[in-house]
C-alpha cells in the first residue's frame, strides 16, 4: 500500500513537471513595426491611442504606440488630418480605472481612416491572426499580458498573465485560433491580491 501511494505521488509530480515543461517558451518582442503585421487591407500606418476621460477635450487623447513613427513623418498633410480627426468614445480595451479611458486604434489607408473601437473591429483589422504582433495585441487586453507562445495547427498556445483588478490575478494557458477566438486550456496559477480598483 505504501509503495502504491508513493508511486501515485511520484506520478502526479512527474505529470506536473511535464505540464510546466510543455508550456510555450517563445517570448514576445518588446515592440512591433507595421511590417510585423499581416493586416486585412493595404493599411499604410496605424496607431494605438488612449482616449480622454469623459468630459475632457478630445485633444487629451494620447498616442500610446505608433506603427511606426518613421512612416508617420512621411504622411501628407491630408493624411495627418485624417488621423487627427478620427476619434471615438469607445475602445477595444480600457484604462484609467475606476474611471473609463477607451483604448482604440486608428488605421490609415491612402485616403481614408478606420477607427478600431471594439474587439470585432480589431479582429477584422488583423484578418487571420497569423503573426506574433497580431497575437500579442489581440491577447494583451482587459488587464492581461501575453507572455509566451507557440504556433500550432489551430493557431497559437499562449501563456497569459491576467488580473481581474478586484482581488485575483494569475496565469492561464489559452488557445488562440486564427479567427481570433480564444479558449482556456488550463489555469496555471491564481493568487489573491487583496486590492480592488
Amino acid at each position: 500500500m505504501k509503495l502504491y501511494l508513493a508511486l501515485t505521488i511520484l506520478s502526479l509530480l512527474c505529470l506536473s513537471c511535464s505540464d510546466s515543461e510543455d508550456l510555450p517558451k517563445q517570448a514576445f518582442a518588446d515592440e512591433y513595426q507595421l511590417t510585423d503585421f499581416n493586416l486585412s487591407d493595404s493599411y499604410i500606418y496605424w496607431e494605438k491611442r488612449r482616449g480622454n476621460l469623459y468630459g475632457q477635450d478630445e485633444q487629451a487623447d494620447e498616442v500610446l504606440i505608433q506603427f511606426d513613427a518613421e512612416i508617420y513623418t512621411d504622411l501628407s498633410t491630408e493624411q495627418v488630418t485624417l488621423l487627427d480627426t478620427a476619434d471615438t468614445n469607445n475602445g477595444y480595451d480600457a484604462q484609467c480605472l475606476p474611471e473609463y479611458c477607451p483604448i482604440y486604434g486608428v488605421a490609415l489607408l491612402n485616403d481614408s481612416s478606420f477607427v478600431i473601437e471594439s474587439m470585432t473591429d480589431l479582429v477584422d483589422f488583423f484578418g487571420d491572426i497569423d503573426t506574433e504582433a497580431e497575437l500579442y495585441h489581440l491577447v494583451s487586453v482587459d488587464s492581461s499580458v501575453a507572455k509566451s507562445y507557440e504556433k500550432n495547427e489551430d493557431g497559437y498556445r499562449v501563456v497569459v498573465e491576467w488580473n481581474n483588478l478586484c482581488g485575483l490575478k494569475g496565469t492561464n494557458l489559452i488557445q488562440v485560433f486564427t479567427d481570433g477566438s480564444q479558449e482556456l486550456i488550463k489555469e496555471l496559477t491564481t493568487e489573491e491580491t487583496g486590492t480592488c480598483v
Side-chain angles (χ1 to χ4, degrees), residues 122-137:
L122 187 65
V123 171
D124 289 347
F125 174 63
F126 288 156
D128 286 343
I129 307 304
D130 54 7
T131 71
E132 175 188 317
E134 293 168 357
L135 179 65
Y136 179 82
H137 285 280

Side-chain angles (χ1 to χ4, degrees), residues 46-119:
W46 81 284
E47 61 188 32
K48 181 178 174 180
R49 298 178 181 173
R50 177 175 40 235
N52 52 310
L53 287 166
Y54 180 76
Q56 284 183 320
D57 187 298
E58 69 180 38
Q59 297 302 318
D61 289 7
E62 177 185 356
V63 175
L64 299 175
I65 305 172
Q66 292 182 306
F67 302 100
D68 55 56
E70 287 183 24
I71 293 172
Y72 182 83
T73 60
D74 291 334
L75 296 177
S76 70
T77 304
E78 293 80 12
Q79 290 170 325
V80 171
T81 300
L82 283 171
L83 287 172
D84 289 346
T85 56
D87 193 22
T88 183
N89 292 320
N90 302 311
Y92 63 85
D93 199 4
Q95 290 182 354
C96 309
L97 298 175
E99 302 293 328
Y100 172 74
C101 294
I103 302 297
Y104 67 100
V106 178
L108 187 64
L109 293 167
N110 277 325
D111 56 1
S112 64
S113 63
F114 173 60
V115 178
I116 305 159
E117 58 184 352
S118 69
M119 286 302 288

